[in-house]
Amino acid sequence: MSMRSASPSVPVKTELETVVRWPMLYAAAGLGFLLLAVPVVLACIAALKGNAVKDETAVRSAPPALAPVHVAPVAAPARPIASYEPKEVATPLPIYKQADRPPIKFSPAPPPAPVAAAPPPLDPVLQLPDVKEPPSIKRLNELSEYVLSELLAKEAKEVDLESAKGTRDKLLAEARETKADKKSSSAILALRTKRADLKGLPMIGEEDCRARAEDVKKMQTISLTLRRELGFGVRVSRSMDLHSPRTVEGFLAKRDDWLKDDGLSTLVQMVQVEDPLLRRELAKRIATVSSPRASVILAQTALFDLSAEVREQAINGLKDRPREQYRRVLLGGLRYPWPPVAAHAAEALVALNDRAATFRLAALLDEPEPCEPVCNSDGKWVVREVVRVNHLRNCLLCHAPSTAKNDPLRGIVPTPGQPLPQAYYSGRRGEFVRADVTYLRQDFSVMQRVAKPDRWPEWQRFDYLVRSRELTADEVAVHRKKPRPSPFAPYPQRDAVRFALSELTGLDAGEQSADWWEVLTMMGP
């Protein structure tokens, strides 16, 4: 038997191996994985880069970190907070159909609630509200008392004896010399003719400047009583003490004898610088006096008092009086150099319905402006101007020096730079004047603030009057070069006259007297 050689063993291939090519499948799977993984990786890288940029921007813009603050833990509330969930409505709201819906009614908006007015400013002088009540008379001048006082202080020129240093001492020395020689002393009257600032003052001569002996006692009684009982003595140092209306009314009601002609001048002289309540009460009391002198004082109050309420009280006191007793005073006020006085005069004539004064009013239209220079009968140019005199500094300008202790109405002369004396009449040391001898009488007086009072009070009394001053050569030259105004150009006093004429007649006939006379003649009485 023959033996065959055995051949090497060959692996037997299955059917799948004969169909699938595994190497190629592995290669394709790897390639697909790469195709899918690369975009994912790139997207992740881009996202990570974007987040890094945002974080960097946030770090740059973020504020610096604050130091940690240790806050105590808040205790739990004692009771749970009420829920804000809406509660179920017991009664369901009605549901309207379009046809059943009630029509909308429009009503006008309610008027806005009135805004509370700001409180009126305090008057710097009286520290009282400067309330403007509706006037019962038609006014041409609506300025308050404070404003008028400020205008006066600004516009009036001041006259002072000591503008020439040593005048006070010279007058006192001359008074002592005349006493030794037993001669009468009127040194101030002589000085008036030498000084230009005093020359035009309306001083009274020696024969008319002395009060009657029977009037002096009442003058002193009134002055002393007012200073003692109403504090007039301290008012000089406390300028704005106010008096209760009841106190004033009761005080004046017990002194009817003061309201007679021999006491009226002293009473008005002292009260006119007091507060408006006292001035108004005095005007009310004077209205009960039927004398012509009382009518003149009421008319002067209606012109010169700076308070509208006091002027109105004075006008009411004139309504039942004969117009002949006060008409001249009011007409004269229309020619006063300070325009507000002319406005007050026109208001008074209109309130009193003095139609009989219209012809005289018309005549005033052709008059020149009161403040313009005029050539007098001596051929000299003079100008009328309002001046003021400090009452404390110029005792010797108004009164004669007193050289005897038994002189009536002796008043002490204050010394500049020294405190004011407390005793006015009873002092024994110092220099004195006689209040019963008065050379100069003011039109009105006002308490006003002094810029540099030194050791005197801040508020002091100033007396106002009109001076006819002679112009200097330079002033005359300037005046002659000025163009002449139209003869019928408006000025405040003429405007006041036209206001009175228009209100009294209901007409306007222009600015000339002749035109008004023609109209008034046609109107008849």
Side-chain angles (χ1 to χ4, degrees):
M1 165 171 126
S2 63
M3 300 275 313
R4 281 182 190 179
S5 59
S7 60
S9 59
V10 179
V12 181
K13 294 182 179 180
T14 62
E15 184 178 358
L16 182 62
E17 289 176 338
T18 60
V19 177
V20 178
R21 296 180 182 272
W22 289 107
M24 294 181 66
L25 181 62
Y26 293 152
L31 182 61
F33 177 77
L34 290 175
L35 292 175
L36 293 174
V38 169
V40 173
V41 171
L42 292 177
C44 291
I45 293 173
L48 292 174
K49 187 177 181 180
N51 291 336
V53 172
K54 291 181 181 180
D55 294 342
E56 183 180 359
T57 305
V59 169
R60 289 179 182 178
S61 60
L66 298 177
V69 179
H70 299 283
V71 181
V74 180
R79 55 184 179 180
I81 301 175
S83 174
Y84 288 94
E85 297 179 358
K87 298 180 179 179
E88 183 179 358
V89 181
T91 305
L93 297 175
I95 301 176
Y96 293 103
K97 297 181 181 179
Q98 185 68 25
D100 299 335
R101 182 171 297 175
I104 300 174
K105 296 182 180 180
F106 293 94
S107 58
V115 179
L122 291 181
D123 189 312
V125 178
L126 299 178
Q127 291 298 304
L128 290 176
D130 189 13
V131 181
K132 289 186 177 180
E133 298 180 356
S136 60
I137 63 175
K138 191 164 186 178
R139 292 179 183 167
L140 181 59
N141 175 14
E142 294 288 347
L143 300 179
S144 68
E145 179 174 0
Y146 171 71
V147 173
L148 289 174
S149 179
E150 291 294 303
L151 289 175
L152 267 175
K154 181 179 179 180
E155 298 174 6
K157 298 181 179 180
E158 190 161 345
V159 174
D160 191 354
L161 268 181
E162 283 300 301
S163 60
K165 298 296 183 181
T167 301
R168 174 180 179 272
D169 295 335
K170 290 180 181 178
L171 291 174
L172 292 171
E174 186 172 343
R176 287 190 287 269
E177 292 176 2
T178 55
K179 176 191 176 184
D181 297 337
K182 298 182 179 180
K183 296 179 181 179
S184 61
S185 174
S186 56
I188 189 63
L189 295 179
L191 181 63
R192 173 176 174 261
T193 62
K194 300 176 183 178
R195 279 180 48 170
D197 59 334
L198 306 181
K199 188 178 294 185
L201 295 177
M203 288 190 171
I204 304 173
E206 191 72 41
E207 64 281 359
D208 299 323
C209 65
R210 293 179 181 270
R212 298 185 307 171
E214 56 269 25
D215 297 341
V216 171
K217 185 176 181 180
K218 179 174 285 190
M219 292 169 61
Q220 187 158 3
T221 300
I222 294 174
S223 180
L224 286 172
T225 306
L226 286 176
R227 292 177 184 277
R228 181 177 62 252
E229 297 192 19
L230 288 186
F232 281 18
V234 298
R235 181 170 168 78
V236 178
S237 58
R238 295 187 306 167
S239 60
M240 286 297 131
D241 287 342
L242 298 177
H243 303 288
S244 166
R246 292 184 178 180
T247 301
V248 172
E249 184 177 4
F251 178 80
L252 293 177
K254 298 176 182 179
R255 292 166 173 84
D256 289 338
D257 59 317
W258 289 9
L259 299 175
K260 297 179 181 178
D261 287 353
D262 57 352
L264 277 178
S265 296
T266 304
L267 197 56
V268 172
Q269 172 74 5
M270 298 192 66
V271 172
Q272 63 181 314
V273 292
E274 296 300 315
D275 62 79
L277 295 176
L278 183 53
R279 302 197 316 259
R280 185 168 57 184
E281 184 61 30
L282 178 60
K284 182 178 178 181
R285 299 295 300 178
I286 294 177
T288 63
V289 183
S290 59
S291 67
R293 174 62 182 159
S295 299
V296 170
I297 291 177
L298 288 173
Q300 292 172 339
T301 303
L303 292 180
F304 299 119
D305 200 290
L306 303 187
S307 168
E309 289 76 16
V310 178
R311 295 197 305 272
E312 185 172 338
Q313 183 65 58
I315 291 172
N316 291 334
L318 291 171
K319 288 184 176 179
D320 296 328
R321 294 173 174 270
R323 290 171 177 164
E324 294 75 14
Q325 293 182 356
Y326 60 79
R327 180 184 292 149
R328 179 181 57 83
V329 178
L330 298 182
L331 291 174
L334 290 165
R335 299 295 301 164
Y336 203 79
W338 193 47
V341 174
H344 301 164
E347 293 170 359
L349 288 167
V350 171
L352 295 169
N353 196 28
D354 192 0
R355 295 171 59 89
T358 51
F359 278 91
R360 297 185 186 181
L361 286 170
L364 296 177
L365 290 174
D366 289 350
E367 294 290 333
E369 187 173 359
C371 301
E372 280 294 308
V374 295
C375 191
N376 62 14
S377 57
D378 297 332
K380 297 180 180 180
W381 287 92
V382 296
V383 61
R384 297 176 67 230
E385 54 192 11
V386 177
V387 298
R388 68 176 191 162
V389 177
N390 187 301
H391 191 80
L392 294 175
R393 292 177 55 88
N394 294 275
C395 297
L396 293 169
L397 180 61
C398 299
H399 302 291
S402 174
T403 55
K405 294 182 179 180
N406 58 352
D407 285 340
L409 286 174
R410 296 180 83 222
I412 194 168
V413 179
T415 302
Q418 299 295 326
L420 292 179
Q422 295 298 320
Y424 188 78
Y425 289 115
S426 58
R428 296 182 178 180
R429 294 182 180 181
E431 305 293 346
F432 292 84
V433 293
R434 298 180 53 169
D436 64 322
V437 179
T438 306
Y439 297 114
L440 190 63
R441 295 184 179 132
Q442 77 280 8
D443 295 327
F444 61 99
S445 300
V446 182
M447 294 292 285
Q448 293 175 318
R449 181 182 280 116
V450 177
K452 297 180 180 180
D454 197 7
R455 301 184 70 179
W456 286 2
E458 182 182 7
W459 290 88
Q460 299 176 22
R461 172 174 179 158
F462 285 87
D463 301 324
Y464 284 85
L465 55 145
V466 176
R467 173 182 67 182
S468 296
R469 181 179 60 86
E470 184 178 339
L471 298 184
T472 64
D474 292 341
E475 289 176 327
V476 172
V478 171
H479 176 69
R480 287 176 173 172
K481 291 180 181 179
K482 289 173 58 178
R484 299 276 76 82
S486 168
F488 302 109
Y491 58 83
Q493 289 82 350
R494 178 175 284 164
D495 293 341
V497 173
R498 291 191 60 189
F499 168 82
L501 283 170
S502 298
E503 293 296 324
L504 290 172
T505 63
L507 302 172
D508 186 4
E511 299 178 352
Q512 299 185 30
S513 299
D515 295 338
W516 272 100
W517 283 334
E518 182 178 355
V519 170
L520 294 174
T521 302
M522 294 174 60
M523 290 178 59

